[in-house]
Amino acid sequence: MRISALSATTGVPIPTIKYYLREGLLPEGVRTGATQADYSDAHAQRLRVIRALVASGVSIAEVRRVLAALDTPPPTPHDLLGVAHEAVTAHVEDDGLDLTDAQALAARLGAKPGMPIEPSQLRVLARALATTADAGFEIPAPVMDAYVASARRVAEAEINGVPTDSPEAAVSYVVLGTVLPESVLLALRRIAEQVVSAERFAGRSG
Amino acid sequence: MRISALSATTGVPIPTIKYYLREGLLPEGVRTGATQADYSDAHAQRLRVIRALVASGVSIAEVRRVLAALDTPPPTPHDLLGVAHEAVTAHVEDDGLDLTDAQALAARLGAKPGMPIEPSQLRVLARALATTADAGFEIPAPVMDAYVASARRVAEAEINGVPTDSPEAAVSYVVLGTVLPESVLLALRRIAEQVVSAERFAGRSG
């Protein structure tokens, strides 16, 4: 297909496609004339992955890393997911933060020694725990139990839904499915809090 | 106690305490001299609530509203929680967003007609759903089921933990417990995704 059809198929504007071509993120099409090239469905699929990554706030440099992983697939699908997951993970410097509590929670989530858990993700958790404690708030043990059980349940459903038909589809799913539902999850929790609060307290006088 | 002791007890710097006094958020102490005043434990408790609200990103104007609710308690604890909850809710304008899906999800969380669910919170959810759809990602039905069940479970544990011994304690808990654990929850989910991904895919070749 021509670049105009590629743009129409994917919804990505032509100048943006040209930018990705210049950056080497999207392979050149097959030249069919001095100013024309032919693009395949593989181009459209790759373009959707790039758009998904960029829409999730991933930098062009990180997009390049994810695409490199797609082009030379690592030995296991887990490694491929790891690259996609890492691309959308905040990189937290090792600032000597105590990871003991974060590691204990990871173990409760099912982490075993030798499992590839990103240290950066453990630091994100350790920092979140530290911020909570610094503000003088202690998450009650039964609440933390519910957080751990819910995180595990959510992850099982999500990973169960990873499409295995193509690496591109898997990476798009992991990248988009990691980042985008976060605001959905938080909004659901807040509405649930209102519902349960109404159930528990409605009608009682203050 | 003197202002210096109040500062030491609460960890709030003296200039900040003076600012809250000038803004009328903290009641004046009992004058004991030309430049001295005596503060009570009630001042310390109020100061902790203010600090909790400010630390959660609540504006001074919203802090004033929460404190007013504390001073003239609404008829039910649920109303008090509602004020605290609303103070930490993003206020999303009614921009004609379709709330059908958000309302259906609220119903699945247990919302009944007549329950006081903030429209702003429904709009936050509707917008999150719209953003997800716009990026070309559809949350699979079994995954959404897990989100709904987890939000409900988390909210039950959280609301069950609301202290009922004092309005101040309840408001602090709701405000801090709503905002601060969000980053903990998201970090737990991402680690759980890595764990479950490792369990499912480890060892399999790509």
Side-chain angles (χ1 to χ4, degrees), chain B residues 12-198:
Chain B
V12 178
I14 292 176
T16 308
I17 296 177
K18 289 186 172 168
Y19 170 70
Y20 294 154
L21 287 166
R22 281 198 307 276
E23 287 288 319
L25 300 179
L26 194 66
E28 298 287 337
V30 177
R31 289 247 155 252
T32 55
T35 60
Q36 283 185 6
D38 189 56
Y39 298 91
S40 66
D41 286 343
H43 283 95
Q45 198 169 27
R46 173 62 54 104
L47 202 44
R48 287 195 193 93
V49 173
I50 298 171
R51 189 189 52 181
L53 288 158
V54 170
S56 300
V58 175
S59 70
I60 294 295
E62 286 284 356
V63 170
R64 207 183 299 281
R65 280 190 53 215
V66 175
L67 296 177
L70 271 177
D71 289 332
T72 44
T76 71
H78 176 71
D79 295 337
L80 190 57
L81 300 192
V83 172
H85 212 238
E86 204 187 327
V88 290
T89 296
H91 292 279
V92 178
E93 301 263 321
D94 183 358
D95 54 0
L97 213 59
D98 183 5
L99 298 183
T100 312
D101 289 347
Q103 279 162 339
L105 286 166
R108 288 177 62 192
L109 290 167
K112 301 265 181 301
M115 248 182 207
I117 308 295
E118 290 157 35
S120 200
Q121 194 61 65
L122 283 175
R123 287 199 282 273
V124 169
L125 176 57
R127 187 163 292 179
L129 292 169
T131 302
T132 305
D134 287 351
F137 186 75
E138 195 182 344
I139 297 173
V143 175
M144 188 59 99
D145 291 347
Y147 289 174
V148 168
S150 295
R152 172 82 203 188
R153 173 171 186 172
V154 158
E156 281 175 5
E158 290 173 330
I159 298 298
N160 202 40
V162 174
T164 49
D165 42 335
S166 81
E168 280 87 358
V171 165
S172 286
Y173 178 90
V174 170
V175 168
L176 291 176
T178 298
V179 174
L180 293 171
E182 289 193 336
S183 54
V184 174
L185 274 165
L186 296 181
L188 285 172
R189 167 176 168 259
R190 292 210 181 185
I191 292 171
E193 287 169 351
Q194 292 185 5
V195 168
V196 177
S197 170

Side-chain angles (χ1 to χ4, degrees), chain A residues 164-185:
Chain A
T164 49
D165 41 336
S166 81
E168 280 86 0
V171 166
S172 287
Y173 177 92
V174 170
V175 168
L176 291 176
T178 299
V179 174
L180 293 170
E182 289 193 336
S183 54
V184 174
L185 273 165

Side-chain angles (χ1 to χ4, degrees), chain A residues 18 28 87 111 118 131:
Chain A
K18 288 186 172 167
E28 299 286 338
E118 290 157 36
T131 302

Side-chain angles (χ1 to χ4, degrees), chain A residues 75 88 147 158-159 190 200 206, chain B residues 75 88 147 158-159 200 206:
Chain A
V88 290
Y147 289 174
E158 290 173 329
I159 298 299
R190 291 211 181 184
R200 178 166 174 206
Chain B
V88 290
Y147 289 174
E158 290 173 330
I159 298 298
R200 179 166 173 207

